[in-house]
Amino acid sequence: MSVIAVAATPYVRELFLDPDTWAALQRLGEVRLPADRADVGDEAVLAGLLADADVVVTGWGTAPLTAAALAAAPRLRLLAHTGASVKPFVTPESFARGVRVTQAGDAMAYAVGEQALALTLALLHRLHRFDHALRTGADWASAKGAPPRRELRGATVGVVGASRTGRAYLGLVRALGARMLVADPYLSGAEAVTLGVERVGLDELLARSLVVSLHAPVLPETAGMIGKRELALLPDGALLVNTARSALVDEAALLAALRTGRIDAALDVFDAEPLPVDHPLRGLPNVLLTPHEAAGTVESRRRAGAIVVAEIDRFLRGRPLAHEVRPEQLDRTG
């Protein structure tokens, strides 16, 4: 019988709270969990969990598959990650050892796209400004004094990154009548036509868009791609939504731009997480903040668990994996 080691971080445990998903996983083999309160971010703990394991299920906070961890796991042949990015877990040694990799990023795309849409609508209608004014004691007339509100229908919305989440978002926003621009060097002209979007460069997208939503992976060429110069290209009153990664944006430059009141932003990701209680972003009326939970819907969690179970089943049956990540693909993944 195959042994499936589940590196049960809090997030991973949440995925398998659904009894049907847990039962489906148990039907695939002997499921091994770490000892209660054991930290699978500790390499020694992970190594102990992997002894005789054929498959490991990972989540954020799991230690990487170093040479030492692999030495303790001679049978390991599959890493099934419950999230999207596998870079924190896979290593050159794991690929060299023949450990295959799959992930459940598809499960999160719609949830993130839908939250990005919700944040877009909130910014357009200045809900964050109204809420901030009323909660901080502004009088009724002053609370009404938000900048002009705008509708999504007919607005120009720029999507940076035609990723899974980017495509989910643009599909939702386009359905509500927005004009869509996309900046992504990997998006072909034919794909742009199929998606119903206009393909443009980043500078043009920033200059033309009322709303800019970030959905790019963090790569050497995208880290810090939105800095002081890029933020200055945004028109007055523009709105920035980031449900992707904070590293895409120079946070100091963004904070400076927000303090002028010229633009508004909705942020789900931050350089420091948890976001310090005294962080200056918390006090700005033109910022809407959420605690890195864009993908955290019940449905997204269930989809992720189902994807992991299905991929392990395919692997054990010798069938092709639907979400495999190969070494040559890492350069284009976040």
Side-chain angles (χ1 to χ4, degrees):
M1 176 179 286
S2 298
V3 175
I4 302 167
V6 178
T9 63
Y11 173 76
V12 174
R13 290 182 186 275
E14 189 175 341
L15 259 62
F16 293 106
L17 286 177
D18 177 65
D20 291 338
T21 305
W22 181 245
L25 182 67
Q26 289 181 305
R27 286 195 292 270
L28 298 179
E30 177 191 338
V31 177
R32 178 183 298 160
L33 293 167
D36 188 38
R37 301 183 183 276
D39 179 12
V40 290
D42 182 284
E43 184 180 37
V45 173
L46 180 66
L49 180 67
L50 295 182
D52 299 326
D54 302 282
V55 176
V56 60
V57 177
T58 60
W60 295 296
T62 304
L65 291 182
T66 62
L70 291 165
R75 286 173 42 181
L76 187 67
R77 289 295 177 267
L78 177 69
L79 183 153
H81 182 47
T82 54
S85 177
V86 300
K87 284 184 175 179
F89 317 104
V90 301
T91 62
E93 292 85 359
S94 65
F95 277 124
R97 241 279 304 277
V99 178
R100 296 171 66 186
V101 178
T102 187
Q103 47 79 27
D106 269 358
M108 305 175 182
Y110 182 82
V112 175
E114 193 169 86
Q115 173 153 324
L117 169 63
L119 296 175
T120 297
L121 291 170
L123 291 181
L124 284 166
H125 291 271
R126 310 293 185 178
L127 302 187
H128 58 302
R129 287 186 179 249
F130 290 138
D131 182 75
H132 184 272
L134 291 172
R135 288 180 182 273
T136 55
D139 63 78
W140 192 258
S142 298
K144 283 177 168 287
R149 277 89 71 197
R150 302 289 297 274
E151 294 176 359
L152 184 56
R153 184 173 56 182
T156 299
V157 176
V159 176
V160 180
S163 59
R164 289 173 298 215
T165 61
R167 292 175 189 233
Y169 172 77
L170 70 85
L172 291 166
V173 175
R174 183 168 169 263
L176 293 177
R179 296 188 297 269
M180 305 302 302
L181 308 179
V182 175
D184 187 324
Y186 297 108
L187 181 70
S188 69
E191 285 180 304
V193 171
T194 300
L195 293 171
V197 303
E198 181 181 352
R199 187 177 55 153
V200 297
L202 179 61
D203 284 4
E204 182 179 349
L205 181 145
L206 295 171
R208 290 176 55 188
S209 299
L210 173 62
V211 180
V212 174
S213 190
L214 305 182
H215 298 277
V218 177
L219 305 171
E221 60 268 31
T222 62
M225 67 189 302
I226 307 295
K228 180 179 178 180
R229 186 191 75 84
E230 290 75 22
L231 292 166
L233 296 174
L234 293 169
D236 290 349
L239 312 170
L240 178 70
V241 177
N242 189 4
T243 55
R245 289 289 184 266
S246 66
L248 298 173
V249 183
D250 180 334
E251 190 174 274
L254 176 60
L255 182 59
L258 290 167
R259 280 173 164 158
T260 70
R262 195 179 73 82
I263 64 172
D264 287 26
L267 308 173
D268 186 55
V269 288
F270 310 93
D271 286 354
E273 294 187 6
L275 187 67
V277 295
D278 60 348
H279 196 287
L281 283 171
R282 289 180 180 257
L284 295 177
N286 54 331
V287 184
L288 176 55
L289 306 174
T290 56
H292 203 154
E293 278 295 327
T297 64
V298 171
E299 293 82 2
S300 173
R301 299 289 197 252
R302 287 176 176 167
R303 285 193 297 270
I307 286 173
V308 166
V309 170
E311 286 289 82
I312 294 172
D313 183 50
R314 292 185 189 101
F315 172 78
L316 295 176
R317 293 175 182 270
R319 296 175 179 173
L321 298 174
H323 305 279
E324 185 163 11
V325 180
R326 295 181 174 85
E328 64 271 17
Q329 295 173 310
L330 286 181
D331 288 343
R332 287 182 54 184
T333 61

